[in-house]
Amino acid sequence: MSDELIEAPEDGQQITLADEETGELNVPENPIIPIIHGDGIGTDVGPAAQTVLNAAAEATGRSIAWMRVYAGSSAREKYDENLPQETVDAIRHYRVAIKGPLTTPVGAGFRSLNVALRKKLDLYANVRPTYHLNGVPSPVKDPSAMDLITFRENTEDVYAGIEWEAGTDEVEQVKAFVEDEMGFDSTIHDGPVGIGVKPITEFGSKRLIREAIDYAIANNRDTVTLVHKGNIMKFTEGAFRDWGYEVAEEEYGENVITEDELWDEYDGEQPDGTVVVNDRIADNMLQQLLTRTGEYSVIATMNLNGDYMSDAAGAQIGGLGIAPGANFGHGRCLAEPVHGSAPKYAGEDKVNPTAMILSGREMLDYLGWHDAANLVRDAVEETISSGKVTYDLHRQIEGGEKLSTSEFAEAVVENIETLAN
């Protein structure tokens, strides 16, 4: 594997759009895929994921030509900048990529390198699947009840980054405008104040919700739940809910019904092949993930809610160390684990690479390599259920075999080869 950017693909290695309108891809058998190993433990989990994904591709008669690209500390060492334009251009050009966790240093010019990549590429849907693997310790009685896909809007809400620091001239200007011009003259307490603006647009809401509904239809999921705090934030989160129902009712015909229609017209018996769109208040939804786990299949929500919901769901199936994720938009995919960079463990060949591996599984699924994607999941599950685990899981189970990061990857590869034969 080269450490340099590949200047041009060989003939037939380029992933292209087969359909501009649907975003369907035309994928060769040996595509070039950019990879960012990431910061901290990314130097361990990145190569481990490559090892497993290579094996899954080869077991199904394909191959991956990896293009190493850089962001974060590796980019500072190589390019003296945190996010080189070459990296953004490579992911944009090759359409499908995977990255490890990144740490944004103080004074980097970015609030978050992860967010900067998503916004520069307009990857507006952050998708986080949550499902239990046999053998993974869980704090709940029946973790297998959790089988949830969270669609989290990736460009608005708190990710818009519109805020002003206490004590600055800018925040005083905004405060004066809010109080004097907009009439909220007794709302903000005296003294230092930080102020932020929370944009929720019809455009951003509807395109995210379409992704969630399209996914539910394509994957035989029976519900899409709009999660919001619209009882209080009526014109932002309440608008998200309303725009979601508009999309469902105006664009999907008989394929999608609302929860009210389910009971008023069908007496609670969901017609075959339909998706029910409903909504829940965010704080109530957090407890329903615990008390009525199996009732929820796909969630569509705004940025901050999505962060809370997916992390809470992840806790029920064993924690963020095994939680995958991916970002989508305009026929592009950037897969990435949910967890952070944990720099104190960097280079120790110790941490659990499952989240990065399963993020790669989402990438393979997006390529249409469903057989390879299923091999990855099944092999990871077989490895863990047999007691071959990294230190984080080993300390929670009895009689297991503690493996390093790279040893775990090799054990998964062995199971891929066994399952494929």
Side-chain angles (χ1 to χ4, degrees), residues 117-381:
L117 262 172
R118 297 171 192 172
K119 294 186 76 169
K120 283 177 178 289
L121 296 164
D122 199 22
L123 300 171
Y124 56 84
N126 179 223
V127 180
R128 295 182 173 183
T130 310
Y131 49 85
H132 185 246
L133 299 172
N134 289 332
V136 176
S138 165
V140 299
K141 292 180 180 178
D142 184 15
S144 65
M146 174 67 71
D147 184 12
L148 182 71
I149 310 291
T150 301
F151 282 75
R152 172 191 178 212
E153 208 289 321
N154 232 359
T155 65
E156 300 186 332
D157 195 10
V158 295
Y159 268 14
I162 306 173
E163 62 175 356
W164 297 273
E165 185 180 2
T168 62
D169 291 341
E170 290 83 0
V171 81
E172 292 303 320
Q173 292 174 27
V174 175
K175 181 174 183 288
F177 174 78
V178 169
E179 292 179 335
D180 300 339
E181 301 295 328
M182 303 305 294
F184 293 91
D185 55 350
S186 60
T187 303
I188 302 174
H189 294 300
D190 292 336
V193 57
I195 298 178
V197 174
K198 173 192 179 77
I200 304 292
T201 67
E202 179 181 12
F203 173 77
S205 299
K206 285 188 171 181
R207 69 177 181 174
L208 183 278
I209 293 163
R210 285 188 197 100
E211 291 280 347
I213 295 175
D214 288 345
Y215 179 91
I217 292 172
N219 292 275
N220 299 313
R221 297 265 174 166
D222 56 0
T223 62
V224 173
T225 302
L226 310 172
V227 179
H228 61 92
K229 190 65 177 172
N231 57 328
I232 302 299
M233 291 176 278
K234 301 182 186 300
F235 305 128
T236 50
E237 303 211 6
F240 177 91
R241 173 203 57 210
D242 294 343
W243 287 323
Y245 280 124
E246 284 182 15
V247 167
E249 294 170 0
E250 296 175 3
E251 300 183 18
Y252 288 91
E254 296 181 355
N255 291 324
V256 175
I257 61 176
T258 65
E259 192 169 49
D260 288 343
E261 290 171 333
L262 174 66
W263 292 100
D264 293 346
E265 299 180 21
Y266 301 99
D267 296 323
E269 294 292 328
Q270 185 171 349
D272 291 341
T274 62
V275 173
V276 173
V277 173
N278 54 29
D279 74 278
R280 298 290 184 268
I281 301 298
D283 49 333
N284 180 45
M285 186 65 192
L286 280 168
Q287 63 92 19
Q288 291 212 23
L289 285 177
L290 275 171
T291 60
R292 298 184 176 184
T293 308
E295 294 183 14
Y296 297 98
S297 182
V298 177
I299 285 176
T301 189
M302 289 140 289
N303 189 273
L304 187 58
N305 288 339
D307 219 3
Y308 294 154
M309 297 295 157
S310 58
D311 280 16
Q316 292 180 224
I317 52 90
L320 298 187
I322 58 170
N327 306 282
F328 301 96
H330 311 293
R332 293 186 174 88
C333 166
L334 176 61
E336 63 177 350
V338 173
H339 62 68
S341 60
K344 71 177 182 178
Y345 297 119
E348 295 185 5
D349 195 24
K350 175 180 181 179
V351 298
N352 191 343
T354 298
M356 183 82 170
I357 292 169
L358 293 180
S359 296
R361 180 211 176 208
E362 296 305 308
M363 182 189 76
L364 296 180
D365 213 34
Y366 185 69
L367 291 174
W369 295 2
H370 307 303
D371 50 355
N374 290 336
L375 267 180
V376 170
R377 173 176 170 157
D378 292 347
V380 169
E381 187 168 49

Side-chain angles (χ1 to χ4, degrees), residues 6 8-15 28 30-33 63-65 94:
I6 295 174
E10 296 179 11
D11 291 343
Q13 286 188 270
Q14 182 70 49
I15 299 172
N30 61 336
I32 293 172
I33 296 179
S63 64
I64 297 172
Y94 292 102

